Amino acid sequence: MTTDNTQATPMIRVRSDGAVDEETLAYARTKIDAVVSRPGLPAVTGEVRMVRAATHHADRPWSATADLYVGGHQVVAVAEDASGTEVVDRLQDRLRRQTDRAAQAWENGHRTTAPPWRGGSRQSRPATESGSAEEDSRTA
């Protein structure tokens, strides 16, 4: 049975800085698309940035940063490693865990609330009913 319930391709932009080859970028696009185009995920938009450091003495010259929005929840993942494929694999693992959490929160309708010191709602104590024993003892 075929349905018209097709998911639009996610709007993820993959950018690079430094000497990042096209093969590594294609590998990154494949891995990132595998994470964000899974069934059950809400709309995903954002950007993945890959950087290869120019210094040859760096232990981990490759870094990748993903800044995505999954159904209104921001997901940020950062990875560093020695080679381009290793950094993409590490980023994919981190993105999969975080997008799963964001999708679960989206399904459950949970929204993170700001803490009270940032203007979030405070839980108020239940008001005592007028005429209660506590109130009577204080006024007497």
Side-chain angles (χ1 to χ4, degrees):
M1 179 175 167
T2 59
T3 63
D4 291 334
N5 200 4
T6 58
Q7 207 176 27
T9 56
M11 298 297 297
I12 307 297
R13 185 166 64 171
V14 180
R15 297 176 38 182
S16 66
D17 287 341
V20 179
D21 56 315
E22 285 298 318
E23 185 177 309
T24 304
L25 284 176
Y27 183 72
R29 281 188 191 99
T30 303
K31 292 291 193 168
I32 300 304
D33 283 345
V35 171
V36 299
S37 62
R38 291 177 293 150
L41 281 182
V44 180
T45 60
E47 176 179 276
V48 175
R49 179 180 221 150
M50 295 193 60
V51 178
R52 183 175 182 186
T55 58
H56 298 290
H57 62 278
D59 290 340
R60 295 179 289 186
W62 288 87
S63 66
T65 306
D67 185 10
L68 306 178
Y69 288 93
V70 180
H73 294 274
Q74 185 176 18
V75 173
V76 177
V78 178
E80 292 181 342
D81 223 313
S83 73
T85 56
E86 290 173 0
V87 78
V88 169
D89 291 341
R90 188 177 300 263
L91 184 70
Q92 180 191 23
D93 291 340
R94 291 178 181 174
L95 274 177
R96 184 175 302 274
R97 280 192 306 267
Q98 291 185 16
T99 55
D100 286 346
R101 277 191 227 138
Q104 185 176 8
W106 179 74
E107 284 177 2
N108 294 338
H110 295 282
R111 292 214 173 252
T112 57
T113 57
W117 59 87
R118 289 199 168 171
S121 63
R122 292 188 173 119
Q123 288 186 352
S124 60
R125 291 187 192 179
T128 58
E129 295 180 21
S130 62
S132 68
E134 267 185 21
E135 194 175 305
D136 292 339
S137 66
R138 282 182 282 173
T139 58

